[in-house]
Amino acid sequence: LEALKTLRECASDPRWRIREAVAMALQRLGRSDMKALLTEMIRWSEGNLLERRAVAAGLCEPGLLGEVEIGQRVLQILDAITRSLLDETNHRSVEFQALGKALGYCWSVVVAALPEIGKPFMEKWMVVEDQNVRRIMKQNLKKKRLLRADPEWTETWIEYIK
């Protein structure tokens, strides 16, 4: 699709509104053809920081996460994107910060939608030493959606990750 090529280019636009429009367009595609979106997002997830941000923001929409199989694939993609942060060196860049902000809510969206499969993925990241990843996990734990989904689990991890 030509539109996906254009969207991928726009994912790296310096204007946040354009980048957010890309995420919304990806979500719209997911509502009509989630398998096609997942296939494309696997490719994008190996791209630059802002492309990875678009992947996370595009996939982590509650309405797209109804099926366990889809949620599993989204978690695998989020896992790979989070792992990729460990190789980044310029933590102060606008692009790194934008991806971090997206991941700061995306994990909680998926875990709240599919707690049984999501919690083990997220728990793995809450025990790493990397301060950027820990900050991202702390941001997710502050989301009310996690508290509603599993108050005891959320409170336990909030205490742990302090």
Side-chain angles (χ1 to χ4, degrees):
L1 270 164
E2 188 65 30
L4 282 170
K5 183 178 180 224
T6 302
L7 285 173
R8 188 166 185 175
E9 291 168 5
C10 290
S12 297
D13 194 283
R15 296 167 294 185
W16 72 267
R17 287 181 193 258
I18 300 296
R19 296 193 309 259
E20 195 54 30
V22 169
M24 290 169 30
L26 294 173
Q27 291 167 2
R28 193 170 190 168
L29 171 61
R31 283 191 288 278
S32 65
D33 190 347
M34 190 60 179
K35 290 186 185 199
L37 178 62
L38 283 167
T39 299
E40 188 67 19
M41 293 302 93
I42 290 168
R43 287 192 278 275
W44 287 30
S45 69
E46 296 174 359
N48 68 42
L49 291 165
L50 291 176
E51 290 168 347
R52 287 180 257 162
R53 182 234 170 251
V55 170
L59 290 175
C60 296
E61 173 65 24
L64 301 178
L65 301 169
E67 297 175 31
V68 172
E69 181 184 324
I70 300 249
Q72 186 76 31
R73 290 185 66 196
V74 169
L75 283 162
Q76 290 166 347
I77 292 168
L78 266 186
D79 193 63
I81 291 171
T82 303
R83 187 177 320 106
S84 76
L85 293 179
L86 302 175
D87 297 327
E88 295 294 329
T89 55
N90 188 357
H91 301 155
R92 295 181 190 264
S93 73
V94 171
E95 297 83 3
F96 186 88
Q97 295 298 317
L99 177 55
K101 284 181 185 173
L103 291 173
Y105 73 86
C106 286
W107 277 100
S108 65
V109 171
V110 183
V111 171
L114 298 160
E116 296 309 310
I117 62 170
K119 288 189 293 189
F121 272 92
M122 192 171 164
E123 288 169 1
K124 174 176 78 172
W125 291 111
M126 289 192 281
V127 298
V128 300
E129 295 297 318
D130 184 88
Q131 291 307 305
N132 292 300
V133 172
R134 287 178 74 89
R135 187 171 30 259
I136 287 165
M137 293 302 129
K138 281 181 191 178
Q139 288 301 315
N140 280 283
L141 288 168
K142 292 177 183 177
K143 305 302 182 216
K144 297 265 188 254
R145 66 179 74 91
L146 281 184
L147 217 60
R148 283 192 302 270
D150 191 333
E152 185 178 327
W153 179 86
T154 304
E155 292 293 341
T156 298
W157 281 105
I158 287 171
E159 282 301 309
Y160 176 83
I161 205 164
K162 279 184 180 176

